Amino acid sequence: MSAERVLDELTVHQLLGRIVYFHVLLIAPDLPAADRAPASGPACCRHRAPASRSPETVLAGSAWGALLEVAAELPGHHRPCPRTSNACCAACRVTSAAAAAGSGWAAAEHRAYHQHSPAPGLLDACGRAAASRVGRVFAARHATACASLDRLTADPPAPETLPGVDELPLTGELLALWADPAATTQAPVVSWLNHCTGGLGDVRRVLESRRNPS
């Protein structure tokens, strides 16, 4: 294995680890009880067109599997293939899980900081951006093609529809890190998040203190 390949793998693991870390530490404690059963999304590439190729087993036991676990805790935002299994297109599974993280985190942060639910357009934009950015990294790492991912990346949400790190720090950092992983993983985009340990209430207090310094 080349040094470049090892570096790429470590970078991806760092990015995925940061998603899991912040989800468990800050997002999950503030998630409301699920108010609806998980809904299915469109069929994945493999179940729409069985001849398409994608690594079926690459998710099992890999760091990418942790992203699926995060999505499972966001049933109101996760839209997996109706026939979800290891036979699914792996890229489709990753993109649907990333979309759940993007929209689910944005919803949780917005509720915590503003005390009301965000506009649906914000959640859609965050979900699509996360799906295309994370999915693109996965497809490149595993040299796999995915028609659904191609359509997603061909029509990204407009930058002005996405929250910045000063508005929704966790969601904003997730989107920024995966937009250009090689350029951003050496240092976190929002370094002060590393000091937050008390859920989204802790993040809200830091945001307020930064906006209104005494």
Side-chain angles (χ1 to χ4, degrees):
M1 182 178 291
S2 68
E4 181 179 1
R5 181 176 175 83
V6 171
L7 175 62
D8 287 347
E9 186 171 343
L10 289 175
T11 296
V12 170
H13 283 197
Q14 289 170 350
L15 288 167
L16 291 169
R18 197 161 177 84
I19 290 177
V20 173
Y21 175 78
F22 281 139
H23 181 80
V24 171
L25 188 68
L26 301 176
I27 297 288
D30 283 83
L31 289 177
D35 56 2
R36 55 181 169 175
S40 296
C44 71
C45 289
R46 176 153 289 196
H47 285 131
R48 280 200 303 269
S52 65
R53 295 181 58 81
S54 187
E56 304 99 322
T57 59
V58 71
L59 300 179
S62 76
W64 292 100
L67 183 60
L68 305 184
E69 295 177 9
V70 167
E73 294 192 359
L74 298 163
H77 301 272
H78 193 204
R79 299 291 181 269
C81 173
R83 297 167 60 188
T84 297
S85 70
N86 285 338
C88 278
C89 167
C92 283
R93 293 187 72 188
V94 167
T95 55
S96 68
S103 61
W105 283 23
E109 284 199 276
H110 198 281
R111 282 193 304 267
Y113 311 151
H114 303 291
Q115 308 305 311
H116 62 82
S117 297
L122 173 67
L123 302 188
D124 177 69
C126 290
R128 287 169 53 212
S132 62
R133 295 175 186 187
V134 176
R136 186 176 58 205
V137 172
F138 176 84
R141 284 284 301 138
H142 296 282
T144 185
C146 174
S148 295
L149 177 59
D150 290 342
R151 288 192 294 271
L152 196 60
T153 55
D155 184 28
E160 62 269 19
T161 65
L162 300 174
V165 295
D166 56 342
E167 181 183 356
L168 302 180
L170 291 162
T171 307
E173 181 181 84
L174 183 154
L175 298 179
L177 285 175
W178 287 89
D180 189 358
T184 55
T185 50
Q186 297 306 311
V189 176
V190 188
S191 59
W192 56 261
L193 282 173
N194 293 333
H195 305 290
C196 294
T197 58
L200 292 177
D202 200 6
V203 179
R204 184 185 68 248
R205 285 188 290 274
V206 175
L207 272 178
E208 291 173 349
S209 67
R210 292 172 66 86
R211 290 169 180 165
N212 304 292
S214 55

